Amino acid sequence: MLTRRLVALYVGLWLYGTSMAVMIRAGLGLDPWDVFHQGVAAHVPMSFGMVTALTGVAVLLAWIPLRQRPGLGTISNVVVIGVAVDVGLWLIPAAEELWLRVLAMVVAVVVNAAATVLYIGAGMGPGPRDGLMTGLVARTGWSVWTIRTGIETTVLVTGWLLGGSVGIGTVVYAFGIGPLIQLMIPYLDGRLPGFDAAPRPEPVPA
């Protein structure tokens, strides 16, 4: 079981980073956190992957007053996704034709959902951003929906103001990722322990 969980964790994280790279190359808008990452990357001499990783570290520091404890999946999230997205951006060319860009966007969202299910299913600790959300929920008593919406709205607006890409892909991701994750969970439920005690999740490893 441990081997299966480790494979699910690292395959999921690598696919997550790759899906981010595909979404960027599609050029039709990014998910809220990646809008923020792209906006910051436009103003600092760092790669997109490095900004993603350093943002994860900064968010982890916010766990301290929230008394959250990282797991192997948490630390791996910071490192693996940052490397995977940079490798993906190096290997994947920008799409030119509109139909190809739309196809790349859709594939990216589907792969992102599958990666999220694998990562959550491994049950080895939440990603930095998910842990921030659950920590704030626990400390404030506010609903998951309120906290998640507040966080993602803040990073989306900040990223957009910094020059991050907002477009139809942002909308497709926002409304498509949850249902896709929900559809995919039954295929791994019972095979991985991450779903045993968890509510049917909203979290993603971003």
Side-chain angles (χ1 to χ4, degrees):
M1 176 60 83
L2 178 59
T3 300
R4 186 186 305 171
R5 293 173 67 191
L6 288 171
V7 169
L9 173 65
Y10 289 109
V11 170
L13 292 176
W14 191 269
L15 286 176
Y16 195 97
T18 302
S19 72
M20 289 167 60
V22 174
M23 197 82 168
I24 292 168
R25 291 305 190 212
L28 294 173
L30 307 174
D31 72 87
W33 275 104
D34 285 343
V35 172
F36 176 78
H37 298 146
Q38 188 181 54
V40 173
H43 296 274
V44 296
M46 297 180 188
S47 69
F48 186 95
M50 180 63 72
V51 171
T52 301
L54 290 178
T55 301
V57 172
V59 173
L60 273 179
L61 294 177
W63 282 30
I64 297 172
L66 299 175
R67 299 178 183 176
Q68 292 282 88
R69 294 184 178 179
L72 175 63
T74 309
I75 306 303
S76 298
N77 181 293
V78 173
V79 177
V80 176
I81 290 180
V83 173
V85 70
D86 274 349
V87 171
L89 289 172
W90 178 59
L91 291 173
I92 301 168
E96 298 292 339
E97 295 85 355
L98 180 59
W99 71 268
L100 188 56
R101 295 168 65 194
V102 172
L103 177 62
M105 176 195 67
V106 172
V107 169
V109 174
V110 172
V111 171
N112 189 282
T116 300
V117 172
L118 285 169
Y119 163 75
I120 293 173
M124 291 187 156
R129 298 154 188 82
D130 290 336
L132 176 65
M133 178 187 70
T134 56
L136 286 171
V137 168
R139 296 286 286 179
T140 65
W142 296 356
S143 68
V144 170
W145 181 89
T146 301
I147 295 294
R148 184 183 178 101
T149 301
I151 292 172
E152 298 215 351
T153 300
T154 300
V155 298
L156 175 61
V157 172
T158 303
W160 176 68
L161 291 173
L162 290 171
S165 176
V166 176
I168 186 63
T170 309
V171 177
V172 171
Y173 186 94
F175 287 97
I177 194 69
L180 282 170
I181 289 172
Q182 192 71 36
L183 283 172
M184 294 177 184
I185 283 175
Y187 292 99
L188 290 179
D189 201 356
R191 295 187 175 92
L192 291 169
F195 305 114
D196 294 346
R200 294 317 182 217
E202 291 182 319
V204 287

